[in-house]
Amino acid sequence: MCAFAFHNAYPKAGDVSMDEGDGEQTDFDIDSDASDADLLELKQELNKLGPGKTRRDLADATIAAQEITLQRWKRFFKGYLIWYHKTHPHARRLNTYESVWKSLRQLYYDTCYKVVAHDVGKEITNFLHGQFCSDRGLVKGMRHKPVVGHNGLHGALYYHWKFDTATFTLELERVELALGLLFLAFTGARPGAIFESGCKGIVGTNAALLYKDVKLRLLQPPDEVSLLVLEVTIMLDKGKRKRNAPDDILEIPIFRCLERSIEGIHVHPFQALSANSISQWTKRLGERAGFDHPFQPYALRREVGTELTDRGVSDQQRNQILGHARSDTFLKHYISSHVVVDVQATFLGTASRGDLIKEIGKLCLRRDPNLPKRLSEQQRTQAYQRHDITRAQEEKNALAQKLKDDFGSIKNGSKSPTGIQHTRVYSRLQALKMRAEREAFAKLLRDFHSAADLDYMVTQLNGEEPASQMLTPVPYILEERRQLAHDL
C-alpha cells in the first residue's frame, strides 16, 4: 500500500485564458526573422525598469504612446508564430502553436506587468485557428495518447522478469526500471518528480526523489491485520525545484545511474538516474513485451487521472494528486479520446460491460513468440536506402579519401579541418541510420499488430487450431531473478 503527500507548488498564476470567436483577418507586415533573442532583450530592458516605475517617471503623453505601441504587439505575435513554423517544420499540430501562443502571453505578462488586451488576444486566436491553420495545413485535435492500466502494467512486468532476454549493464537497472514504474503508477507523479528531469534548466541539478522523501510506517487498525504503508512526499512537481546536497544517506536519490571507473562499473554514490533513461527503457520493454503502441511512463500518469475521475474524486483532489494548477489541464491533455461507455448495452438495456470497453482504449499487450524483436540484416539494409543517408555516405567517403590522399590515413588527419568535417559528417550519418532503423522497426511492429488479429481469426474460421502463443522462460544469470520468476 502506498500513500503520498504534496506541497502546493502553484501560487495563483497570472496567466489568462483567451476567448475564442470568429473575426476578420487583417493584413500585416512583420519581420518573420525575429528570434528568441529579441524577446530576451526586451524582457531584460523592461526588468530594469521594474513594475510601476514607468508610470511614476514618464509623462502622461509618453505613457499613452507606449499603450498604443503595446496594442500593436499583435503584429509581433503573428510574426513570431510564422517564424516558429519556419524554424520547426515538423510541428504539424495546431495545439503546438496554441502552447506557443500561451508562452507568448505569459512572457508579455512577465515583461509588461499586464495581460494581453482582450481584443488583441481574440484577434490572435482567430488568426491562429483560421488563416494560419488553413494556409499551413495544421492538424486540429489532440494526438492520441494511450494509457496503460493495471492489467497492462502487470503483463509488462511479468514479461520483464520471466521472459525478457534484454541485457542491462548491471542487473540493478532491471530492478530500477520495475520499481520506477511501480512508483509512477502508485503515485501518478511526473517522471521528472521521481527521476532527474531532462528539461532545460533542470537537467544537471540532480533533483530527484530522495530517501528522506519516503517513510515506511506500520498501521495497526483495531481488530485488523497490521499494514505496512510507504508514505511518499512529492517535492519536485512543476513550479518547485530543489538542489541536492548529499551530506548523508537521506539526501541521496533513491534511483541512481551507473558510474564507470578503473575498478569497473558500479552504482554512482549520489548522481540521480535520469527520466530520459527510464523513458527509453520503458519504450523498449513495451516493444519486447508486445504493446501495440509505444509505452511511455506518462501513460501510467494518464491512467491515474482517468481512474480518479471515474471513481468520483473531486477536481480539487485530482489536481492535488496530479500537481495541476487548473482542471482544464486534465480535460485538454489527459482525458482519453476513446469512448469508454458501453453504448450498445445502453441502447439495448442490457448489463453493461464497461470494464471491457475501457480496456479497449488502453495499450493492448500481445504475448506472441513471433513478435519481432529487432530488424534483420536485410531489413536494416533496406532501411538505409534513403536519399539523405546515401548523400551523407557519399560525402563521408569523399572526405575519407581526401584524408587518405593528404595524410596517408584518416587517423593522421583527424585534427585537420577536413578531419573535423569528416567526424561531423560521420556523426550525422550514424544519427540518420539510427533514425531510419527506429522508423523501420516501428513500421514492422505496426504491420505485425495490424495483421496478427486478422490471421488469428482466419485460422479459427478455417477450423484450424491456432498456434500456441506460450513464451518460453529464458535462462537466468542471477539466482534472485530465477526465484522471482518462479514465484510469478
Side-chain angles (χ1 to χ4, degrees):
M1 185 175 181
C2 181
F4 50 102
F6 298 87
H7 292 259
N8 185 11
Y10 301 95
K12 299 230 172 174
D15 183 32
V16 61
S17 59
M18 294 298 170
D19 296 332
E20 297 183 6
D22 297 329
E24 297 180 356
Q25 304 300 328
T26 58
D27 297 332
F28 58 94
D29 296 318
I30 192 69
D31 180 10
S32 61
D33 294 330
S35 64
D36 293 336
D38 300 324
L39 290 174
L40 181 60
E41 181 180 358
L42 176 61
K43 183 175 182 178
Q44 291 174 346
E45 291 296 326
L46 290 178
N47 282 340
K48 294 178 182 178
L49 300 177
K53 293 185 178 179
T54 303
R55 294 192 177 277
R56 291 198 303 268
D57 299 335
L58 298 179
D60 294 339
T62 304
I63 296 175
Q66 288 184 346
E67 293 292 337
I68 296 176
T69 302
L70 292 178
Q71 287 291 328
R72 292 173 179 169
W73 265 44
K74 60 186 177 183
R75 299 191 177 189
F76 170 77
F77 291 148
K78 294 180 179 180
Y80 186 85
L81 292 171
I82 295 174
W83 168 85
Y84 189 91
H85 179 266
K86 288 183 178 180
T87 55
H88 299 77
H90 297 293
R92 305 299 304 167
R93 290 191 170 271
L94 177 61
N95 67 290
T96 301
Y97 296 91
E98 290 176 339
S99 299
V100 174
W101 170 223
K102 177 182 177 181
S103 298
L104 280 175
R105 299 200 312 267
Q106 292 173 336
L107 178 61
Y108 182 91
Y109 180 84
D110 291 340
T111 55
C112 301
Y113 311 108
K114 60 171 62 178
V115 298
V116 175
H118 176 75
D119 57 337
V120 175
K122 185 175 182 179
E123 180 177 341
I124 299 299
T125 301
N126 293 337
F127 164 74
L128 186 61
H129 288 79
Q131 177 186 346
F132 185 84
C133 180
S134 60
D135 290 350
R136 292 157 181 80
L138 301 182
V139 180
K140 295 184 178 181
M142 297 296 297
R143 187 190 306 274
H144 172 58
K145 298 178 180 179
V147 299
V148 174
H150 63 278
N151 291 327
L153 179 60
H154 175 270
L157 293 180
Y158 184 82
Y159 175 89
H160 175 68
W161 288 113
K162 196 158 188 173
F163 304 107
D164 195 10
T165 58
T167 58
F168 292 84
T169 306
L170 288 181
E171 279 297 303
L172 177 64
E173 292 181 326
R174 189 184 302 275
V175 178
E176 286 189 313
L177 173 57
L179 182 60
L181 291 177
L182 292 176
F183 260 91
L184 293 172
F186 294 162
T187 63
R190 297 178 177 87
I194 306 297
F195 314 96
E196 184 188 52
S197 175
C199 298
K200 292 182 180 180
I202 301 177
V203 60
T205 60
N206 202 42
L209 187 71
L210 307 180
Y211 278 106
K212 71 176 184 179
D213 296 331
V214 298
K215 296 179 181 179
L216 189 62
R217 300 184 181 276
L218 179 64
L219 297 183
Q220 296 178 315
D223 302 329
E224 294 184 19
V225 180
S226 299
L227 185 64
L228 283 175
V229 177
L230 184 66
E231 180 182 357
V232 183
T233 303
I234 304 298
M235 297 289 293
L236 297 175
D237 254 329
K238 277 186 178 180
K240 190 167 186 178
R241 289 272 138 188
K242 64 180 180 181
R243 292 180 179 269
N244 296 332
D247 297 329
D248 53 62
I249 185 63
L250 296 180
E251 296 286 345
I252 294 178
I254 298 176
F255 300 93
R256 288 166 293 175
C257 61
L258 301 183
E259 182 183 36
R260 289 174 171 83
S261 63
I262 57 176
E263 290 84 8
I265 302 176
H266 53 84
V267 180
H268 200 284
F270 58 85
Q271 183 62 46
L273 182 67
S274 68
N276 291 336
S277 297
I278 288 293
S279 295
Q280 294 174 5
W281 293 349
T282 304
K283 181 180 179 181
R284 294 169 186 168
L285 172 61
E287 292 174 349
R288 297 190 301 268
F291 280 122
D292 52 358
H293 284 85
F295 178 22
Q296 294 292 349
Y298 245 86
L300 301 172
R301 176 174 166 83
R302 286 191 287 270
E303 169 67 6
V304 171
T306 302
E307 285 296 322
L308 290 174
T309 303
D310 293 344
R311 298 189 179 209
V313 176
S314 65
D315 292 348
Q316 292 78 4
Q317 289 178 314
R318 187 188 62 212
N319 292 341
Q320 182 188 31
I321 294 173
L322 297 180
H324 289 160
R326 297 176 301 275
S327 298
D328 58 347
T329 302
F330 173 81
L331 299 177
K332 184 176 181 180
H333 300 287
Y334 284 75
I335 193 169
S336 175
S337 58
H338 286 271
V339 177
V340 294
V341 178
D342 193 348
V343 181
Q344 175 181 327
T346 302
F347 178 80
L348 297 177
T350 58
S352 174
R353 298 301 304 274
D355 53 340
L356 296 181
I357 301 297
K358 289 174 63 177
E359 289 298 323
I360 295 177
K362 301 176 183 178
L363 286 184
C364 177
L365 188 64
R366 189 187 308 280
R367 296 177 187 169
D368 194 324
N370 299 319
L371 182 75
K373 297 297 189 296
R374 62 184 63 86
L375 294 175
S376 64
E377 288 299 328
Q378 181 180 0
Q379 292 168 335
R380 184 177 291 105
T381 302
Q382 186 178 1
Y384 293 162
Q385 305 303 315
R386 293 179 17 171
H387 177 68
D388 52 353
I389 294 180
T390 302
R391 185 172 55 187
Q393 184 69 51
E394 293 174 352
E395 185 179 357
K396 170 186 170 297
N397 294 339
L399 292 172
Q401 187 61 44
K402 181 174 176 59
L403 288 173
K404 293 178 181 178
D405 295 341
D406 296 344
F407 300 96
S409 67
I410 298 178
K411 183 177 180 181
N412 293 337
S414 60
K415 301 298 183 181
S416 65
T418 304
I420 296 175
Q421 185 180 2
H422 175 270
T423 302
R424 292 176 179 173
V425 173
Y426 176 78
S427 300
R428 179 161 55 88
L429 176 62
Q430 294 302 112
L432 290 173
K433 287 184 175 181
M434 291 180 61
R435 181 177 180 180
E437 288 185 24
R438 289 196 301 268
E439 292 177 352
F441 185 66
K443 183 178 183 303
L444 183 65
L445 288 178
R446 288 196 303 269
D447 294 342
F448 175 84
H449 287 296
S450 62
D453 289 336
L454 180 61
D455 294 341
Y456 188 83
M457 287 185 288
V458 170
T459 301
Q460 287 186 323
L461 290 175
N462 292 335
E464 302 175 4
E465 185 69 22
S468 175
Q469 296 189 0
M470 296 296 295
L471 299 178
T472 304
V474 298
Y476 309 116
I477 300 177
L478 296 181
E479 174 62 23
E480 291 84 355
R481 184 185 175 188
R482 187 199 67 79
Q483 184 62 41
L484 179 60
H486 178 269
D487 295 338
L488 291 177

